[in-house]
Amino acid sequence: MANEPILQLELPGIKKLKSGKVREVFDLGDRLLFVATDRLSAFDVIMPNCIPRKGEVLTQISYFWFAQTESFQPNHLLSRVPLSGNSLPKNLQPFADQLARRSMIVKKAKPLAIECVVRGYLAGSGWKEYQKSQTVCGIKLPTGLKESSELPEPIFSPSTKAEAGHDENISFEQAKKIVGDDMAGQARAASLKIYNFARDYARQRGIIIADTKFEFGLFDGKLILIDEMLTPDSSRFWPADQYQPDAASRASTNNSSAIISKRWIGTKLRPVQCCRTML
């Protein structure tokens, strides 16, 4: 049924290529079908329960940002999966209720082997590294910053893209070794441009985008934005009217489902127990 939470999804007759932490990826020949489930994950743990309609929210937010940025940043979106099954490709029409609002048909791009993180504020793993070395991904930062402090300017802080285990923060030099100098430079420039646009757009509406993660891929030899975009799963959003640059602000500002789940896991489970759960 359309309103029932979706933890797992099979589409008989449609080949599934991958079941990720949140998304199911199906092969449509020269295209891919991305379906965002209602699964809840944090670190490498996929929870046994879910957030009803979460996948719809993630997909609709991504649609919004793809539309806002497509004039200057090409992305992988080919078409929305409409509310009406009659507009779907024929082989997907039997699954219209399951796919509505939580799916998109996209280009078959080759993903870059790095995650592209942009930080405008000092939080999360960036704050932990700063406390130890006054750096984030090898980038030296000013002394005296507090948790959640706004950085002098947004920084590009890439990470590995791990199939199993944790992604690890890496320097830009390490990113260049993985994807090449030119591609790393393009990804950094694109990431910062998108973040700066989205940060200004959101701030005018009372929302701080503290940091976010982008994924890019190659399609016809060109770099395009893929996967999701500026969702609560990939970004840290804070209400601007509650923002304070200190540790006391964490409880009121780090309030997305992903952040809450990560905090719970970090306090309740040892790292060795955070093993990957396959559905």
Side-chain angles (χ1 to χ4, degrees):
M1 300 296 293
N3 291 326
E4 289 184 358
I6 294 179
L7 273 170
Q8 301 183 66
L9 184 65
E10 299 293 337
L11 305 177
I14 310 296
K15 180 182 178 182
K16 183 189 287 187
L17 293 180
K18 180 181 178 181
S19 184
K21 294 176 182 177
V22 174
R23 285 168 183 77
E24 310 279 25
V25 182
F26 296 89
D27 191 351
L28 300 181
D30 61 344
R31 300 170 293 170
L32 296 175
L33 172 68
F34 276 23
V35 185
T37 69
D38 298 322
R39 291 195 292 262
L40 177 63
S41 70
F43 297 122
D44 307 313
V45 178
I46 298 176
M47 308 298 180
N49 47 11
C50 65
I51 298 177
R53 304 188 72 180
K54 174 193 171 189
E56 296 181 37
V57 173
L58 298 183
T59 301
Q60 298 304 311
I61 290 176
S62 291
Y63 277 151
F64 172 82
W65 286 113
F66 284 146
Q68 292 293 320
T69 58
E70 64 184 358
S71 64
F72 63 87
Q73 177 54 58
N75 61 65
H76 68 163
L77 185 63
L78 286 172
S79 63
R80 296 174 177 239
V81 173
L83 295 176
S84 170
N86 294 331
S87 302
L88 283 169
K90 188 174 181 179
N91 61 341
L92 296 180
Q93 289 181 14
F95 315 111
D97 285 348
Q98 295 164 287
L99 300 179
R101 297 186 61 82
R102 65 173 68 243
S103 308
M104 59 179 69
I105 296 173
V106 303
K107 301 168 184 174
K108 271 190 172 179
K110 180 181 179 181
L112 288 192
I114 59 171
E115 306 273 9
C116 296
V117 180
V118 179
R119 303 175 188 272
Y121 293 75
L122 192 56
S125 62
W127 167 242
K128 291 178 182 179
E129 181 182 335
Y130 177 83
Q131 289 177 291
K132 294 177 181 178
S133 60
Q134 204 181 313
T135 63
V136 174
C137 291
I139 301 171
K140 193 71 173 177
L141 296 176
T143 59
L145 296 179
K146 300 177 181 179
E147 183 175 13
S148 305
S149 288
E150 184 172 8
L151 300 176
E153 60 182 10
I155 61 173
F156 179 72
S157 58
S159 70
T160 60
K161 186 181 290 186
E163 290 297 326
H166 295 295
D167 296 338
E168 294 184 3
N169 293 341
I170 57 176
S171 68
F172 182 61
E173 292 303 314
Q174 290 172 299
K176 290 196 292 186
K177 291 179 181 178
I178 296 172
V179 300
D181 291 9
D182 180 62
M183 202 53 59
Q186 288 188 49
R188 177 173 65 179
S191 298
L192 289 169
K193 185 172 184 178
I194 298 167
Y195 174 81
N196 286 332
F197 171 85
R199 175 201 60 191
D200 294 346
Y201 184 98
R203 192 61 188 260
Q204 293 170 10
R205 291 156 179 82
I207 299 170
I208 293 172
I209 303 177
D211 52 42
T212 192
K213 178 193 73 175
F214 301 116
E215 294 197 41
F216 292 91
L218 288 175
F219 184 77
D220 288 343
K222 296 182 179 180
L223 193 73
I224 65 171
L225 189 63
I226 64 172
D227 198 53
E228 64 184 336
M229 186 177 185
L230 292 158
T231 73
D233 268 13
S234 66
S235 312
R236 200 183 308 262
F237 297 106
W238 296 338
D241 62 354
Q242 297 177 30
Y243 169 71
Q244 292 181 20
D246 56 43
S249 68
R250 291 181 65 197
S252 63
T253 57
N254 292 351
N255 53 12
S256 76
S257 61
I259 297 300
I260 292 170
S261 302
K262 286 181 178 180
R263 191 180 304 145
W264 185 88
I265 290 171
T267 57
K268 299 296 183 183
L269 303 178
R270 298 176 183 174
V272 72
Q273 292 176 299
C274 292
C275 58
R276 195 179 191 203
T277 304
M278 298 300 293
L279 293 182

